[in-house]
């Protein structure tokens, strides 16, 4: 069976510090991978998605970046965090290739607080 | 691009009563509409979906309806139970297309009163 892991589960970081969130998927190959941000009481904002190693599409201009160094690993990074980066970060995967009907499976999320 | 609007943002119903959440979409090319449920502190999970070739789909106490002409779709939960309390998201995508992504609504926080 497939599982998706995210770490850390919670993170408190000062403004201006770097960020690295990691997501890994087990039990599947060539998944589509996604990073979403959910602000408190808000909906899901798609940040990045990837259909393959080294292939990253950015949805929202911001000070965040994403990388996919391995088939089942997706990393969200920032060089300098802003207060507005606080939120609940969710990684998700879907079976590839993307055909529009792909169910997305979400990880447990990382709660980031920037102080 | 696609825009999905969801109402209401919060909903409180008496246990045993029905709950209805409504969504509208803007892109007439969208033809796949999943609904996700998010429990506190967890990631969303798919609970039901509908494709544009049908107008209604049921799964036990949950049903979804779709009006392609009006570009709106709804989630209906009957005989609500405490475990139905969660945040619900509607979404839309272009099934069969390799160029699209799922666009989510802003969510509805459903509370079931005992």
């Amino acid at each position: 069976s497939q599982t998706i892991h995210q770490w850390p589960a919670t993170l408190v970081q000062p403004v201006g510090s770097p960020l690295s969130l990691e997501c890994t998927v087990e039990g599947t190959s060539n998944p589509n991978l996604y990073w979403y941000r959910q602000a408190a009481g808000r909906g899901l904002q798609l940040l990045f998605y990837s259909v393959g190693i080294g292939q990253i599409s950015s949805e929202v201009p911001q000070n965040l970046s994403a990388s996919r160094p391995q088939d089942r690993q997706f990393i969200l990074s920032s060089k300098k965090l802003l207060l507005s980066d606080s939120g609940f970060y969710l990684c998700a995967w879907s079976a590839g290739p993307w055909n529009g009907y792909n169910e997305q499976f979400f990880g447990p999320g990382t709660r980031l607080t920037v102080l | 691009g696609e825009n999905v609007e969801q109402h209401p943002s919060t909903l409180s119903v008496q246990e045993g009563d029905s709950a209805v959440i409504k969504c509208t979409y803007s892109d007439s090319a969208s033809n796949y509409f999943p609904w996700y449920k998010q429990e506190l502190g967890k990631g969303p999970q798919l609970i039901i979906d509908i494709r544009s070739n049908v107008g209604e789909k049921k799964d036990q106490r949950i049903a979804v309806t779709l009006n392609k002409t009006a570009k709106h779709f709804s989630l209906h939960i009957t005989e609500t139970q405490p475990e139905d309390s969660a945040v619900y998201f509607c979404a839309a995508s272009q099934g069969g297309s390799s160029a699209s992504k799922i666009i989510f609504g802003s969510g509805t926080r459903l509370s079931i009163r005992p």
Side-chain angles (χ1 to χ4, degrees):
Chain A
S1 62
Q2 301 87 7
T3 55
I4 179 169
H5 303 280
Q6 284 187 248
W7 64 89
T10 60
L11 190 60
V12 180
Q13 291 284 91
V15 170
S17 64
L19 173 73
S20 181
L21 303 181
E22 190 165 344
C23 171
T24 59
V25 181
E26 297 177 354
T28 188
S29 298
N30 303 315
N32 303 307
L33 297 173
Y34 312 84
W35 277 113
Y36 290 88
R37 177 170 58 203
Q38 187 176 26
R42 304 287 295 277
L44 298 169
Q45 180 186 31
L46 179 63
L47 301 175
F48 301 94
Y49 71 95
S50 171
V51 298
I53 296 175
Q55 301 178 58
I56 309 294
S57 295
S58 174
E59 290 297 300
V60 181
Q62 66 243 312
N63 67 322
L64 300 172
S65 62
S67 61
R68 183 170 178 174
Q70 300 180 43
D71 181 46
R72 290 168 289 178
Q73 184 184 30
F74 207 22
I75 297 172
L76 183 68
S77 304
S78 174
K79 293 182 179 179
K80 289 186 177 182
L81 283 169
L82 306 173
L83 286 174
S84 58
D85 291 324
S86 292
F88 192 48
Y89 287 82
L90 288 159
C91 180
W93 74 274
S94 66
W98 171 262
N99 63 13
Y101 300 116
N102 311 62
E103 176 181 354
Q104 293 193 10
F105 300 90
F106 287 82
T110 294
R111 186 160 302 283
L112 171 66
T113 303
V114 182
L115 301 175
Chain B
E2 174 66 279
N3 181 52
V4 177
E5 295 191 359
Q6 183 171 349
H7 301 280
S9 57
T10 60
L11 179 61
S12 178
V13 301
Q14 193 75 32
E15 182 177 351
D17 289 350
S18 296
V20 180
I21 301 170
K22 298 182 179 181
C23 292
T24 60
Y25 61 100
S26 60
D27 191 341
S28 57
S30 291
N31 58 5
Y32 174 61
F33 307 93
W35 286 86
Y36 284 77
K37 175 183 180 182
Q38 184 180 25
E39 298 179 343
L40 190 63
K42 298 183 179 180
Q45 188 171 22
L46 180 72
I47 54 171
I48 195 169
D49 57 18
I50 190 170
R51 299 189 182 191
S52 61
N53 58 345
V54 298
E56 184 176 4
K57 182 177 179 180
K58 288 185 178 180
D59 183 3
Q60 299 182 342
R61 296 185 298 107
I62 295 175
V64 291
T65 59
L66 171 65
N67 184 325
K68 289 171 56 180
T69 303
K71 289 191 282 189
H72 65 69
F73 55 113
S74 301
L75 176 71
H76 304 252
I77 305 175
T78 59
E79 302 173 8
T80 53
Q81 301 171 4
E83 54 264 36
D84 295 328
S85 294
V87 178
Y88 291 81
F89 293 96
C90 61
S93 73
Q94 295 178 26
S97 167
S98 62
S100 292
K101 305 157 291 293
I102 289 179
I103 304 300
F104 286 86
S106 56
T108 295
R109 183 173 299 279
L110 175 62
S111 300
I112 307 302
R113 303 190 305 271

